[in-house]
Amino acid sequence: METLFLDFFHNTGFFLCDYRNIIMILVGMLFIYLGIAKDYEPLLLVPIGFGMLMGNIPVFKGLGLGIYENNSVLHYLYLGVTQGIYPPLIFLGIGAMTDFSTLLARPVLMLLGAAAQAGIFITFLGALALGFTPHEAASIGIIGGADGPTAIFLTAKLAPTLIGPIAVAAYSYMALVPVIQPPIMRLLTSRKERLIRMEEPREVTKREKMLFPIVAFLLCCFLAPAALPLLGMLCFGNLLKEAVVTERLAVAARTSIIDSVTILLGVTVGASTQGDVFLTTKSVGIFFLGALSFCIATACGLMFAKFMNLFLKEKINPLLGAAGVSAVPDSARVVQVVGQREDPTNFLLMHAMAPNISGVIGSAIAAGVLWSFMS
């Protein structure tokens, strides 16, 4: 009887567990807490957090249970991450729920989204200097775009062994946009600048809205062909939205499709953070460089907005530069909140969506350029 009990106990997670599993389970619980109690990107942090719990239940190797075992269910679901399937589907949904009107009304704000991508390339050089391989450095740098799907897509192509830490870092910083960005925004702008009011944008015609996704897709993908899977689905989703006659498809893209893919992406990315794989010195470096990349991207957007004001007759509020990182629509909301702390009647959200949208496009182009450069 005692032998049977010991055999049973040796097959339980209590016996097989080590400290790394415990640490990651606690991190998963923290993600779930932040998502539910603090409302920090709950649609992302809750699936990722629960995925961490799933991935850190210790099991015998060879039973087909772990995400890194070829015959497991989680492994097959994880193929959507490693093969770059889920990110384009996320972009399809983003395109179907995004209004590009503000970008079309004042195209000059597109430059702010482009400027924010400088953080990606600066961090890429920094990661190279710290000893990461070029493929790893490119994957780490893309975290600065604050775009989880883009970071996963590029990492799956260049450094698939780093998908777990890079994805968790990217989504963590996306969730912490309201915490990270405001101090940088206040540090780099004066109160006078934060009080600048933006003029009402012109009205954009329906024809312009329908032509934009087609023209933008052709121009951007001729510039960076490797960005085709992401930008193609983004622009296609937006065309479905604006065409009206395809509203049924647009509704599916921005509801059931993106919700289903978000669940699968979050759970499998979380499950990939097994303690023995995730807790390494390289992961610590990734989180540090990812935070640096995000901060540099925010600062570059703010400083470029100030630079643009040297030449513009109609000044723009430099806070809009912080929306150049592509955490849609969180960074635009942060701009609104910080601006209204100075003047409660100053509404910047609509204007901030322009650099926010261009940041999404810019990070996808940056990923395409890096992928092409590394191939």
Side-chain angles (χ1 to χ4, degrees):
M1 189 68 178
E2 182 180 346
T3 303
L4 289 175
F5 176 77
L6 288 175
D7 288 342
F8 169 76
F9 179 71
H10 289 165
N11 284 295
T12 65
F14 295 105
F15 179 79
L16 299 171
C17 187
D18 71 13
Y19 73 95
R20 293 170 295 186
N21 298 123
I22 299 297
I23 291 173
M24 292 311 302
I25 286 173
L26 292 175
V27 173
M29 290 181 176
L30 176 63
F31 271 46
I32 294 171
Y33 169 77
L34 291 175
I36 295 174
K38 299 298 183 181
D39 199 29
Y40 287 168
E41 290 288 350
L43 301 183
L44 296 173
L45 291 194
V46 173
I48 292 175
F50 199 84
M52 288 180 174
L53 304 186
M54 294 174 64
N56 283 281
I57 298 297
V59 294
F60 273 118
K61 305 294 183 184
L63 291 181
L65 297 174
I67 196 168
Y68 294 111
E69 295 187 69
N70 291 335
N71 59 337
S72 73
V73 174
L74 283 176
H75 176 78
Y76 289 122
L77 294 177
Y78 192 49
L79 288 175
V81 175
T82 58
Q83 299 301 314
I85 298 169
Y86 295 152
L89 293 175
I90 296 284
F91 266 63
L92 174 69
I94 292 173
M97 64 175 68
T98 303
D99 186 354
F100 288 172
S101 296
T102 53
L103 188 61
L104 291 168
R106 197 165 184 185
V108 69
L109 296 178
M110 191 182 303
L111 297 175
L112 298 177
Q117 308 313 310
I120 293 173
F121 296 98
I122 293 172
T123 306
F124 167 66
L125 297 175
L128 286 176
L130 290 176
F132 286 93
T133 68
H135 287 69
E136 293 172 342
S139 301
I140 293 168
I142 205 69
I143 296 173
D147 191 334
T150 303
I152 291 171
F153 181 81
L154 183 64
T155 307
K157 302 300 180 185
L158 298 181
T161 57
L162 298 183
I163 285 178
I166 286 178
V168 171
Y171 280 120
S172 297
Y173 297 134
M174 282 177 66
L176 294 174
V177 162
V179 177
I180 297 173
Q181 283 197 313
I184 301 172
M185 295 161 75
R186 288 192 291 269
L187 177 66
L188 297 180
T189 59
S190 65
R191 185 172 189 274
K192 181 180 178 181
E193 289 173 324
R194 294 194 291 272
L195 288 171
I196 293 176
R197 287 178 172 271
M198 302 288 294
E199 290 192 358
E200 287 296 314
R202 69 175 179 84
E203 186 175 346
V204 178
T205 66
K206 189 66 180 176
R207 178 176 295 180
E208 287 177 293
K209 291 182 181 181
M210 291 179 61
L211 287 175
F212 178 76
I214 299 172
V215 174
F217 167 70
L218 293 174
L219 290 177
C220 293
C221 287
F222 270 98
L223 175 65
L228 188 149
L230 297 177
L231 290 181
M233 296 301 271
L234 177 76
C235 294
F236 176 55
N238 188 250
L239 181 62
L240 293 178
K241 172 182 178 292
E242 300 299 346
V244 180
V245 293
T246 54
E247 180 62 16
R248 178 178 168 184
L249 298 180
V251 170
R254 63 174 172 258
T255 54
S256 54
I257 292 177
I258 194 172
D259 289 344
S260 300
V261 175
T262 299
I263 291 171
L264 295 173
L265 179 68
V267 169
T268 52
V269 164
S272 72
T273 62
Q274 289 182 1
D276 57 340
V277 176
F278 188 84
L279 292 178
T280 64
T281 54
K282 187 170 285 189
S283 295
V284 175
I286 288 170
F287 271 81
F288 170 75
L289 287 169
L292 181 65
S293 179
F294 183 73
C295 292
I296 292 174
T298 301
C300 287
L302 291 165
M303 296 307 295
F304 192 76
K306 292 162 73 80
F307 176 74
M308 287 173 62
N309 277 343
L310 298 175
F311 307 96
L312 295 175
K313 291 183 179 179
E314 297 177 5
K315 306 300 182 184
I316 61 176
N317 192 313
L319 293 177
L320 300 185
V325 298
S326 57
V328 178
D330 294 324
S331 55
R333 289 175 182 157
V334 170
V335 169
Q336 168 83 349
V337 170
V338 174
Q340 289 198 322
R341 283 178 185 166
E342 306 294 340
D343 179 3
T345 64
N346 192 9
F347 296 96
L348 297 172
L349 180 61
M350 177 173 54
H351 305 284
M353 285 304 297
N356 208 190
I357 295 165
S358 67
V360 175
I361 298 172
S363 66
I365 292 175
V369 169
L370 288 170
W371 185 15
S372 299
F373 181 67
M374 296 297 159
S375 298

